[in-house]
Amino acid sequence: MKKEYKEIRKINANSLQSLCISKRWYTRGDNAAYNHLLYDLADDKENITTEDIVEIAQDIMEHSNTDQDLTSICFDVARIAATYFEEV
């Protein structure tokens, strides 16, 4: 019998905060919006999906002065995700 696996991606708030600092993102967001990004959209998720990454990137774009396009921000956000594989 062939074993099946699932991929789980997680983003912690510290990694996302470091990325935002290094890219000089989120300069137009207040503390409440920044906490929403770090904790509600990223850190508290059991498994980050593609849709979650797009939502995070859109939130970053709305609160940043950046020339990066959405897909480029998605790539940067996805790159910091920790990926795990579990047998199901």
Side-chain angles (χ1 to χ4, degrees):
M1 177 180 247
K2 185 177 177 180
K3 292 182 180 181
E4 292 186 36
Y5 295 87
K6 69 177 180 177
E7 177 183 359
I8 299 169
R9 290 184 285 185
K10 294 186 180 255
I11 295 176
N12 70 47
N14 290 336
S15 295
L16 185 54
Q17 182 180 35
S18 293
L19 178 64
C20 287
I21 291 168
S22 72
K23 296 287 188 173
R24 294 189 170 101
W25 291 338
Y26 234 84
T27 55
R28 297 185 332 193
D30 61 15
N31 285 340
Y34 198 42
N35 283 332
H36 173 69
L37 170 73
L38 296 178
Y39 299 103
D40 298 332
L41 299 182
D43 200 54
D44 288 340
K45 298 279 178 129
E46 284 294 313
N47 185 13
I48 297 290
T49 65
T50 301
E51 292 80 19
D52 293 327
I53 291 171
V54 170
E55 185 177 13
I56 290 167
Q58 288 171 330
D59 189 81
I60 289 169
M61 283 189 76
E62 289 172 16
H63 295 94
S64 302
N65 294 321
T66 182
D67 291 333
Q68 280 187 266
D69 62 18
L70 182 67
T71 57
S72 175
I73 294 172
C74 287
F75 178 81
D76 287 334
V77 171
R79 198 171 41 87
I80 65 164
T83 304
Y84 306 90
F85 295 89
E86 288 184 354
E87 188 174 340
V88 290

